Each structure stands twice: as C-alpha cells, then as structure tokens.
Amino acid sequence: MPTHAITRRVLSAAIALLASSAALAADYPEKTITLVVPFSAGGPTDVVARILGQAMAKSLKQSIIVENALGAGGTLAAGRIARATPDGYTLLLHHNGMATSTTLYRKLAFNPMTDFEYIGQVADVPMVLMARKDLAANTLPELIAMIKSKKDAMTLGHAGLGAVSHQCGMLFLSAIGVPLTTVPYKGTAPALSDMLGGQIDLLCDQTTQTTSYIRTNRVKVYGATTKTRIPSLPALPTLAEQGMAGFEMYVWHGMYAPKGTPPAVVARIGTALREALNDPNVKARFAELGAEPVSDAKATPEGLRTHLKAEIDKWGPIYKKNGAFAD
Ligand code: MLT
C-alpha cells in the first residue's frame, strides 16, 4: 500500500478516536459513577469519599456511589482502577498509600506514576494517637513508660502495610525505640471498633473518624501528629510539643481515574471536585472533622502529580533503608 494511503488511514483512525472521545465527554456523565475507596465502610477515607461524592454528584447532576474495595493496604483497589475501563465512570479516592506502597510492595499491579489520570488532590487530614479508654496511661509520658515496660503484652492496630495508621504507628514506635505486636485490619473502622471493645490497645487514626469518639470521651487520646494543634480539637497538644520534636504526619488524599480517560472527562470531574471543595456544606463538615480542603491549585492533575511524585521520592529511601517490605 502506498505511504500516503497508510497515512490517510492512520489519520482517519485518529480522527475517529478523537471524535468518539469528544462525544463521550460531551454526554458525560450519563450514568452512575462509582468512587472506589480502598478501605472499610465507615472509616476515615470512606467518610471523606461520601462527603465529596454527595457534593460532586450535585455538580455533575448524576449519582455517585461509594464502593469499598478492601485488601492489601489499599493496593488491590488501586490495581483494579488501573485496569478499569477509562470512561470516567470508575474513580479512585486514595491517600498517602498511593505513594508509599510503591516501595513497600515488591510486586504491585499498578504504577502510580504511569497508570492513572490525575483528577486532583482533595483534603488533608490530621491523625491522633489513641488508646482504649481503660488503658491505665493517662499522659504521653505514662504511655511511653507503659509501652517500654509492657511491650510484650501490648498491641497496636492498623489497616495494613501502605495504610497511614500503619505508617503513623511505626513512626511513633520507632521514635520511642520499642517494637510492639501489630494487628492488621482492612481499614481503621474495624480496628477502632476492636479497640473500643478492648481487643487491641493502641491506634493512630485520622480525625475524620476519631473526632466524635474523642469529644465523647470514648477513647484515650495522647496527641496530634501534626506540626501545629488541630483547630477542631484545640485542647489536644501535638506529639511534637510534648517532647517528640519533629514528629509530623498528616494524611493527604488524591482522586484518580484510569489512564486513557478522555481529557475532557478528566476536566469535567476536576471542575466538580473543585466545586465540591468550595461548597460551604463540605467546608463546614470537613472543618468539624478536622479535614482541610486543598486549594483550587492543588485540586488539579498537576497539583496531584507533583505531590505524589514528591511523596514517592520522600518515603522511598526511608522505607528502603529500614527494609520494610511486603511480598
Ligand atoms: C481507612 O479508611 O480505613 C484508613 O484510611 C486506613 C488507613 O490508612 O489507616
């Protein structure tokens, strides 16, 4: 076949593809969108997803259902979205684990830097270090002393390797130099429920889940993991101000679509995300739970890509040095 005929065919195929993706974008969304959360229902990521999903549904004039796809510290859900049909009807809300799991898992079914379209960052959430209500230690120094003397009898719950509760718990234990038996769950909702029932002792968890338990005195809380006090829990000192200088951990969230989702669809979802983050009801609900919506500039594909890359570059060498891996 002559070269000009091949060129014509390639061109018409490209034009047809562009036309079909433009048509898809023009009609989008014409059916329910699924927002996948990699951890348990009722937990902190789920709470953020449901607040956001409701507001984005208003903007998109289409319903958004939240689906909890559990397992392997969030990596199963991320792998599933990486392979989903790239049509804007399956999205993922994930947190720090998107960056840390690249180093923590030797075998991963996705590459965070190449397998997704980025919608944008979402919100930042502080964490708190807590224990079951009847634990005898009332202050951080008492807790540290108790862990040191009873380390073989104490347990720390978390939501798996790649979960922020795991990362936070490990940062705390390595700062005080004492390893504890850890108990993995598929989210911190079941971990908290076990802690309330006295099955585990400690949990480092996000304020999007813990705020009401702290306010109603159903858990013992020792400190915030953030650099400065949490505005919605002003009486709670940070771990850093109680002598753990430099201790800082907060949870950031990103929204992702499968690679190949048409740019106009990504842009439409992005607009809905920014509208939701500026919605006064969302802002009020987030503020009550200690969550801070990101700026419009961060709630963009570039905002998320830049942050994700920086987090991979930050945590990769730390985890490699400490040899913390899953198979
Ligand atoms: C959850 O939603 O259960 C948490 O985000 C899990 C975690 O990463 O600690």
Side-chain angles (χ1 to χ4, degrees), residues 39-40 43-46 95 159 162-166 186-189 205-206:
F39 298 100
S40 331
T45 317
D46 185 74
H95 60 26
V164 287
S165 45
H166 183 264
K186 291 189 170 158
T188 52
D205 198 13
Q206 300 159 67

